[in-house]
Amino acid sequence: MAELSKNVSSSPIGEGENNVLQKHVAFFDRNKDGVVYPWETFKGFRAIGANIFLSTVSAVFINIGLSSKTRPGKFPNFLFPIEVKNIQLAKHGSDSGVYDSEGRFVATKFEEIFKKHALTYPDALTQEELKALLKANREPKDYKGWVAAWTEWTTLYNLCKDKNGLLKKETVKAVYDGSLFEHMEKERASKKKK
């Protein structure tokens, strides 16, 4: 994934932008109807190169975990849809704080990740530094938040680390601004054509 970090969007995330968390999630809305169903989550994970097992497990747990949170006041739906417009309602505890309660990008929190935890290289996290980040962000007795944060960061690390085992700062920023998944899908599609 070394090439990935070179090609990821380096456009700044402006304070005036709408909910970038929605943009992050909208990649998985494969038919662009504002709702993400488990089969769309599965297809999105496959599109970025995840294997069938990870794609299946992700689709099940993400949609079951987030559906009711993004559909406040609505009757439970056993197809477990996630409403993209309400994704900020599904924020979990023990996270990095890079998305605020409205789903907006908080640049100072993003920079804080690397100032505090990127001790080997200022622009990348090693696997051990990532573990330290997760431990530092844990809120007491927030076991669901711990699991959610561990799952998100571990998946990101495994899919996007470079050949030296580093998770680059620009890659992490691209996951927050919503451009990473589209880039990964395009990169994977171009490799298939060769």
Side-chain angles (χ1 to χ4, degrees):
M1 297 305 287
E3 316 82 49
L4 176 70
S5 62
K6 292 178 190 170
N7 298 320
V8 171
S9 167
S10 60
S11 61
I13 305 171
E15 288 181 28
E17 284 196 28
N18 290 332
N19 186 329
V20 290
L21 182 54
Q22 291 172 349
K23 185 177 177 193
H24 169 86
V25 173
F27 171 81
F28 296 94
D29 181 9
R30 306 307 282 177
N31 64 1
K32 305 300 179 208
D33 66 351
V35 180
V36 180
Y37 288 96
W39 52 89
E40 290 178 292
T41 303
F42 174 86
K43 287 178 185 176
F45 270 87
R46 293 294 290 150
I48 62 174
N51 62 35
I52 291 174
F53 177 75
L54 177 59
S55 299
T56 302
V57 170
S58 297
V60 170
F61 285 105
I62 289 170
N63 283 76
I64 288 174
L66 303 183
S67 179
S68 64
K69 293 176 182 178
T70 65
R71 304 178 71 248
K74 294 184 179 176
F75 192 76
N77 184 326
F78 295 109
L79 295 178
F80 301 106
I82 296 169
E83 292 189 14
V84 176
K85 69 179 181 181
N86 294 329
I87 194 62
Q88 71 278 1
L89 300 176
K91 270 183 48 74
H92 58 79
S94 300
D95 69 357
S96 62
V98 174
Y99 291 127
D100 70 9
S101 62
E102 300 295 318
R104 295 174 298 218
F105 181 82
V106 181
T108 55
K109 288 290 190 180
F110 175 77
E111 292 299 330
E112 192 176 284
I113 290 171
F114 292 88
K115 283 180 186 168
K116 286 185 176 180
H117 302 286
L119 305 176
T120 310
Y121 303 97
D123 66 339
L125 295 168
T126 65
Q127 188 171 24
E128 290 305 311
E129 291 166 346
L130 183 57
K131 288 178 185 175
L133 164 69
L134 291 170
K135 190 172 183 180
N137 287 337
R138 286 184 188 163
E139 295 171 9
K141 298 184 181 180
D142 176 30
Y143 305 115
K144 287 182 183 179
W146 296 3
V147 170
W150 180 87
T151 303
E152 292 164 355
W153 281 98
T154 302
T155 301
L156 177 63
Y157 179 81
N158 288 328
L159 289 174
C160 297
K161 66 185 174 189
D162 70 10
K163 64 183 178 191
N164 299 314
L166 299 173
L167 185 58
K168 298 284 189 167
K169 182 177 184 178
E170 53 210 19
T171 302
V172 176
K173 188 167 188 180
V175 81
Y176 281 116
D177 76 17
S179 65
L180 179 67
F181 301 136
E182 288 178 14
H183 175 77
M184 291 175 74
E185 181 177 33
K186 287 176 188 170
E187 186 177 75
R188 186 167 184 260
S190 70
K191 284 181 181 177
K192 278 186 172 181
K193 287 180 184 177
K194 291 179 182 180

